[in-house]
Amino acid sequence: MTPIKDSIEEVKESEKGVFDTEVSGEMKKSYLDYAMSVIVSRAIPSIEDGLKPVQRRILYAMNQMGLKPNTQTKKSARLVGDVIGKYHPHGDVAVYDAMVRLAQDFSLRYPLVFGQGNFGSIDGDSPAAMRYTETKLMPISSELLQDIEKETVKFVPNYDNSLKEPLLLPGKLPTLMLNGATGIAVGMATNIPPHNLTEVCNAIISFIKEPKITVEQLCEIVTGPDFPTGGMVSGNMIELYKTGRGRLIMRGRTTIETIKKRDAVVITEIPYMLNKTVLITHIANLIQNKKIKNVSDLRDESAKGKIRIVIELKRGTNPKFVINSLYKYTRLQDSFNVNFLALVNNQPKVLGLIDVLEQYVKHRKIIITNRTKFELKRAKDRQEIVQGLLIALKNIDNVIVLIKKSKNTTEALESLVKKFKLTRKQAQAVLETKLQQLTSLERDKLKKEAEGLKKTIKDLEKILGDIKEVLKIIIREVTELRTKYGDNRRTSVMRRVTEISEKDLVQKRDVVVTITEKGYCKRMDTKTYKEQKRGGKGVIGSGLTTGDFVKQLITCSTHDYLMFFTTRGRVLWLKAYDVPAAERYSKGKALINLLNLRNEQITNVISIKEFDDFLFMATRKGQVKKIALSNFSKPRASGIKAINLPADNSDVLIGVELVKKEQEVSLATKQGKAIRFNEANVRAMGRASYGVTGIKMGTSDEVVSLEILNTDAILTITKKGYGKRTAVKDYRKTARAGKGVINLKVTEKTGKVVNAVSVNDGDGIIITTAKGIVIRTSLKNIRVMGRATQGVRIVKLQQGDSVTDVIKVADKDLNGE
């Protein structure tokens, strides 16, 4: 009694729409059903015909409407109405957008739909409304639909069970490989690049002839994707076609032309799925922001079906570096992440190239077998009729008498079956025969047809009896496709695309970088510098403000790093090409606008090609530090700490130099002391250290110079303009942390030591004063003398003036200035 009562209660509850179930389980089931619906019925193409459901329904509806390649086009709105009314119960916009993409020659390598009117452009222009455009099938689409009427594919009821639609198309054309696919489902996505028809057909033929063919061998046939927009592509093709996953690098195609006697970079092909207008806008912004340099004009000269973006360059610019900048900073070089995901028996699966070819051949085997069965049945049915007609013609007189004597059609049919041993189909065909078919000519036609049917049936049975015959047919049909629609590749396959580094963006050439006392910086080509040298006025000091002078002159390459060391012990980087190029007489640009300076001055600037060897540093209080350059090999825009100076600013960095093994170092102090020792006396340290004692000094003394001794002599100069040149060998070599030896006898007349620089006989010096006087002289005017002397007057100062610094230059650079 209880079970019956429970069942009655369940019925009552179900009538109310209430079910006793666990919500998480119901949610999982519902979401899984939704996910599978999106995967199977919307976003992921089938491997067999390479189409998504909406694409398949569009092509089938066009075929049913008679929109064949050899017919007139019809309004797109009419087609869209048919598709959503009969097969695809979704929005008209979604169907129209899918149809438009099938017609775009920049979206599909082999468009399947012929569109008349505005179907959008590569610039991102929207297509015209469906009421304005017209459409029909392309000739190549007939290869997808061929034999659909021969029971080759399974038909299922449409959404309202009023019509039938195909689950798949016969798909002689390997569409998925040729046109690719893009789709985002739930939890998975597909991204398949298009390929060249000739290569794909050759791969299918090779796979059928040699089933054990390897991916490496196939990659010699299918060299890579072939995009409708051309360009170039690079990637690990073997790995891609093995796994079905991989990353491709796409590049647009550029040429170099001469326009108005100047070089111009012309973009003629762009990467797949790139909006041309977006690309041009991006290039314009980069030019405006000085990211792409030396461009004088940018314009779009593209015409229908032909891309031409012209970038005119300034005179003397090497186009190679502009092209590299375009690849580096714009989508002219773009990536394509391949995920060869497709539905195999309604299940999503990632496929390699061999899997794709195998599934194509498998599908075509089924289609050809079904087609052959259909044709065999039709041939046998016809053979049966023809044989019956021949029997009737042989006994025509008796047949006519029999029919005349019969009371009705049914009696005549039964009599013919009984008397002449005919089947009911044969007897019906005899009764339906027209009198004109009784002529001897018609009789001969029937005999020939019977012989032809016999041969056809034999051939069809041979196909069904031997799978090799089916494979021969596939090869023949694929060869016909290749002959009919095959074309040359549009996309070139590059072996490898290397990462574009900064040196690929800037032409390598020698430049001169100048740093002034007041913190101005500029870059000039060495050729300009030499021309200026001959001009008479000279580079040094030209165009500078009153009281300013060139503190450092560096000859380096545009690819070198410039390391700027500050008094607070920080180091900041600039690429030499980032230093603003300036005219001969320009003062340059303030370093504070180029570097992230914080209440500090630049102590020294060093140009670096490779981060090898060591740096040697010295502070005002006599601390020294040796550190490997490799500690500074990763530049930061904000700079990093090179030496850990006291937080109270009681000590500052006064010098930084490059040092190699076994080189000697010299420190000179304000009170006229100097010390000389080997760099090996100082161990290598990390960035966080303060260093070790280099020289011991009195409380009123401080270090004024650091020199790496690779010269014959040391030139010392004082605040009141006195100086002397002393041989390096006169300075006794000691260990570090000593008190040093006398460098110059400091008196009231000489003033304190300002600087000491290492010099050779061929060098010259530039002395600067507090009032902005710049004195240039050769070392020939300064004799070599002992350490304990006070030197000679090198510069005669005005009342209240004093020497601020001395810098060394090659004597030849002073000639003519």
Side-chain angles (χ1 to χ4, degrees):
M1 191 70 180
T2 306
I4 296 172
K5 184 180 177 182
D6 289 345
S7 65
I8 292 170
E9 292 298 323
E10 286 174 8
V11 169
K12 288 181 179 178
E13 288 297 316
S14 66
E15 287 173 353
K16 294 177 186 177
V18 178
F19 297 92
D20 185 11
T21 183
E22 209 280 313
V23 69
S24 63
E26 188 65 29
M27 289 288 287
K28 285 178 183 176
K29 181 180 181 302
S30 299
Y31 191 76
L32 187 62
D33 290 344
Y34 162 72
M36 286 306 295
S37 173
V38 173
I39 291 166
V40 174
S41 303
R42 196 180 306 175
I44 309 298
S46 295
I47 187 65
E48 290 86 358
D49 59 6
L51 300 172
K52 299 177 185 180
V54 65
Q55 296 170 330
R56 187 179 300 116
R57 286 163 176 165
I58 288 169
L59 296 178
Y60 180 67
M62 292 177 83
N63 189 60
Q64 292 301 98
M65 287 175 65
L67 297 179
K68 303 292 178 65
N70 55 353
T71 62
Q72 286 189 333
T73 56
K74 289 185 180 178
K75 286 289 184 185
S76 299
R78 183 172 171 185
L79 169 66
V80 171
D82 250 35
V83 173
I84 63 177
K86 294 179 178 178
Y87 312 112
H88 199 71
H90 297 279
D92 59 337
V93 175
V95 175
Y96 184 55
D97 286 349
M99 191 205 75
V100 164
R101 191 173 188 276
L102 292 175
Q104 291 175 336
D105 59 1
F106 54 87
S107 294
L108 266 65
R109 181 64 176 84
Y110 300 93
L112 301 175
V113 169
F114 173 80
Q116 184 137 330
N118 175 16
F119 275 74
S121 73
I122 200 168
D123 287 314
D125 300 319
S126 299
M130 66 180 83
R131 62 182 177 275
Y132 298 119
T133 61
E134 296 184 357
T135 187
K136 66 178 179 178
L137 288 170
M138 289 285 278
I140 200 168
S141 300
S142 59
E143 308 296 344
L144 275 169
L145 294 154
Q146 188 176 317
D147 301 326
I148 197 169
E149 74 285 352
K150 294 183 179 180
E151 300 177 1
T152 50
V153 292
K154 186 178 179 182
F155 278 74
V156 293
N158 68 339
Y159 67 92
D160 64 358
N161 208 22
S162 61
L163 294 167
K164 297 277 189 180
E165 63 172 316
L167 269 178
L168 297 168
L169 297 185
K172 184 198 293 187
L173 197 72
T175 315
L176 195 58
M177 281 289 287
L178 300 185
N179 284 329
T182 302
I184 301 173
V186 179
M188 59 182 64
T190 185
N191 203 25
I192 303 169
H195 289 78
N196 182 266
L197 186 143
T198 302
E199 291 185 353
V200 172
C201 289
N202 288 337
I204 292 168
I205 293 167
S206 298
F207 175 76
I208 294 171
K209 289 182 176 178
E210 182 50 64
K212 293 183 180 179
I213 193 170
T214 63
V215 172
E216 288 80 4
Q217 290 171 317
L218 285 171
C219 283
E220 294 178 7
I221 302 168
V222 181
T223 54
D226 189 23
F227 299 106
T229 52
M232 298 174 281
V233 67
S234 174
N236 189 340
M237 300 303 173
I238 293 176
E239 187 66 21
L240 166 67
Y241 291 130
K242 268 185 182 178
T243 63
R245 288 191 175 98
R247 183 171 180 267
L248 299 172
I249 300 297
M250 303 182 294
R251 275 186 176 182
R253 198 180 298 276
T254 59
T255 60
I256 299 169
E257 297 181 10
T258 302
I259 300 174
K260 299 176 185 176
K261 297 183 179 180
R262 294 186 183 184
D263 286 333
V265 174
V266 180
I267 301 170
T268 57
E269 294 173 4
I270 62 176
Y272 183 51
M273 300 301 287
L274 175 59
N275 186 313
K276 178 162 65 70
T277 300
V278 171
L279 174 65
I280 294 171
T281 304
H282 191 193
I283 294 172
N285 290 336
L286 289 169
I287 293 169
Q288 190 174 9
N289 296 331
K290 307 293 183 184
K291 201 76 174 176
I292 297 178
K293 302 174 183 177
N294 301 316
V295 174
S296 61
D297 190 21
L298 169 66
R299 60 182 180 273
D300 186 8
E301 296 181 355
S302 303
K304 187 174 177 66
K306 184 181 179 183
I307 290 174
R308 182 177 168 83
I309 303 168
V310 179
I311 305 168
E312 286 191 19
L313 308 181
K314 292 179 181 177
R315 196 179 302 278
T317 303
N318 190 331
K320 168 189 167 186
F321 299 101
V322 175
I323 292 170
N324 284 341
S325 296
L326 291 170
Y327 288 146
K328 176 81 173 177
Y329 300 122
T330 75
R331 287 187 61 197
L332 194 63
Q333 177 172 308
D334 206 356
S335 62
F336 189 101
N337 294 308
V338 179
N339 189 32
F340 214 116
L341 182 78
L343 295 178
V344 180
N345 298 324
N346 269 352
Q347 296 294 320
K349 185 179 177 183
V350 177
L351 304 158
L353 180 55
I354 289 178
D355 298 325
V356 174
L357 300 179
E358 187 178 3
Q359 289 298 326
Y360 170 82
V361 173
K362 182 180 177 182
H363 177 63
R364 288 304 295 166
K365 281 180 184 176
I366 295 169
I367 298 300
I368 291 169
T369 301
N370 290 344
R371 181 184 70 193
T372 306
K373 286 178 180 178
F374 177 84
E375 290 175 347
L376 179 62
K377 182 178 179 300
R378 188 170 60 180
K380 284 185 174 180
D381 287 347
R382 180 59 184 167
Q383 186 186 44
E384 182 182 352
I385 301 299
V386 170
Q387 286 174 346
L389 291 174
L390 286 172
I391 292 170
L393 286 172
K394 188 176 180 182
N395 303 284
I396 189 64
D397 295 334
N398 294 331
V399 168
I400 292 171
V401 171
L402 188 148
I403 294 172
K404 285 173 68 177
K405 287 181 178 179
S406 300
K407 294 179 181 178
N408 51 46
T409 307
T410 306
E411 185 180 329
L413 182 71
E414 295 296 335
S415 300
L416 286 172
V417 170
K418 187 176 180 181
K419 184 168 184 179
F420 297 104
K421 311 295 183 191
L422 298 178
T423 64
R424 300 186 72 82
K425 282 184 183 179
Q426 290 174 328
Q428 185 64 42
V430 170
L431 290 174
E432 292 173 357
T433 302
K434 296 179 181 179
L435 289 173
Q436 68 183 28
Q437 290 181 277
L438 301 178
T439 62
S440 59
L441 184 62
E442 289 297 324
R443 188 183 298 117
D444 292 340
K445 280 185 181 180
L446 284 173
K447 286 180 179 179
K448 286 181 181 179
E449 185 180 356
E451 291 173 3
L453 286 168
K454 188 177 179 181
K455 184 178 184 303
T456 300
I457 290 168
K458 185 180 178 182
D459 292 342
L460 294 172
E461 286 176 341
K462 184 181 178 183
I463 293 169
L464 292 175
D466 189 354
I467 192 64
K468 291 180 181 179
E469 295 298 322
V470 176
L471 295 175
K472 285 180 185 178
I473 293 170
I474 297 174
I475 291 174
R476 187 183 73 239
E477 290 181 346
V478 168
T479 304
E480 289 170 359
L481 281 177
R482 184 183 63 189
T483 305
K484 200 171 181 182
Y485 304 107
D487 57 1
N488 296 324
R489 286 187 65 88
R490 296 181 188 176
T491 303
S492 303
V493 178
M494 300 179 290
R495 288 190 176 181
R496 189 167 61 95
V497 173
T498 55
E499 184 70 23
I500 296 174
S501 60
E502 287 182 290
K503 68 181 182 180
D504 298 319
L505 308 178
V506 179
Q507 185 172 358
K508 187 175 182 179
R509 61 173 183 264
D510 291 332
V511 293
V512 174
V513 176
T514 61
I515 315 290
T516 74
E517 174 65 20
K518 289 191 175 180
Y520 286 91
C521 182
K522 68 178 178 180
R523 166 172 59 89
M524 294 182 294
D525 196 278
T526 49
K527 293 180 181 178
T528 305
Y529 179 69
K530 289 173 184 175
E531 289 171 6
Q532 189 178 11
K533 179 184 64 180
R534 297 192 200 102
K537 185 173 181 181
V539 174
I540 310 295
S542 61
L544 300 179
T545 55
T546 305
D548 199 7
F549 61 92
V550 174
K551 187 176 181 181
Q552 198 169 352
L553 185 146
I554 305 158
T555 302
C556 61
S557 162
T558 48
H559 287 185
D560 290 355
Y561 274 106
L562 295 178
M563 298 177 70
F564 292 78
F565 293 88
T566 73
T567 51
R568 292 303 311 133
R570 291 197 311 136
V571 60
L572 302 105
W573 290 263
L574 269 184
K575 272 291 194 179
Y577 61 74
D578 284 330
V579 175
E583 300 297 329
R584 297 190 209 181
Y585 305 110
S586 166
K587 67 181 180 181
K589 192 168 184 178
L591 281 172
I592 198 167
N593 295 326
L594 295 173
L595 300 171
N596 185 22
L597 296 174
R598 308 168 186 166
N599 298 320
E600 55 197 337
Q601 288 79 44
I602 299 299
T603 293
N604 199 12
V605 184
I606 297 175
S607 68
I608 299 294
K609 285 183 171 61
E610 302 289 341
F611 289 90
D612 299 329
D613 298 325
F614 291 86
L615 288 176
F616 204 93
M617 305 177 189
T619 73
R620 184 183 291 167
K621 285 192 172 182
Q623 292 291 110
V624 293
K625 175 178 176 178
K626 186 171 72 172
I627 183 170
L629 261 173
S630 57
N631 287 291
F632 306 99
S633 61
K634 295 180 180 178
R636 295 183 198 164
S638 58
I640 60 172
K641 188 173 286 187
I643 183 172
N644 194 11
L645 294 174
D648 60 0
N649 295 339
S650 59
D651 199 3
V652 297
L653 187 66
I654 61 99
V656 182
E657 298 291 343
L658 279 169
V659 67
K660 296 185 178 181
K661 285 184 179 181
E662 300 304 320
Q663 282 192 314
E664 293 179 350
V665 178
S666 168
L667 300 176
T669 74
K670 182 170 69 173
Q671 296 290 0
K673 290 291 185 75
I675 189 169
R676 170 189 170 205
F677 58 87
N678 196 294
E679 60 83 27
N681 290 344
V682 181
R683 62 179 176 81
M685 308 171 201
R687 289 194 297 109
S689 67
Y690 179 30
V692 294
T693 303
I695 185 170
K696 291 179 179 176
M697 304 173 293
T699 54
S700 63
D701 204 358
E702 60 187 46
V703 175
V704 293
S705 81
L706 162 69
E707 289 291 311
I708 304 300
L709 297 175
N710 51 10
T711 57
D712 301 327
I714 293 176
L715 173 77
T716 306
I717 194 158
T718 67
K719 190 172 183 180
K720 292 189 177 180
Y722 282 81
K724 68 181 181 71
R725 189 159 50 119
T726 303
V728 169
K729 63 184 179 181
D730 289 350
Y731 294 87
R732 182 168 50 88
K733 188 175 178 182
T734 66
R736 69 165 183 85
K739 291 185 177 180
V741 297
I742 294 174
N743 176 33
L744 183 141
K745 189 176 180 182
V746 174
T747 64
E748 185 68 24
K749 183 175 74 170
T750 61
K752 305 291 191 229
V753 174
V754 172
N755 202 351
V757 295
S758 57
V759 293
N760 285 316
D761 286 340
D763 293 337
I765 57 171
I766 298 172
I767 302 168
T768 58
T769 74
K771 289 190 175 181
I773 304 299
V774 180
I775 298 101
R776 305 171 178 84
T777 185
S778 171
L779 286 179
K780 295 172 184 175
N781 302 323
I782 305 170
R783 66 185 176 87
V784 178
M785 56 188 80
R787 288 189 297 104
T789 61
Q790 65 181 5
V792 295
R793 186 184 294 276
I794 294 177
V795 55
K796 189 174 182 180
L797 299 172
Q798 298 175 6
Q799 184 72 27
D801 201 1
S802 62
V803 173
T804 55
D805 204 357
V806 58
I807 64 170
K808 176 183 72 174
V809 292
D811 189 40
K812 60 185 179 64
D813 291 337
L814 300 175
N815 296 333
E817 294 186 356

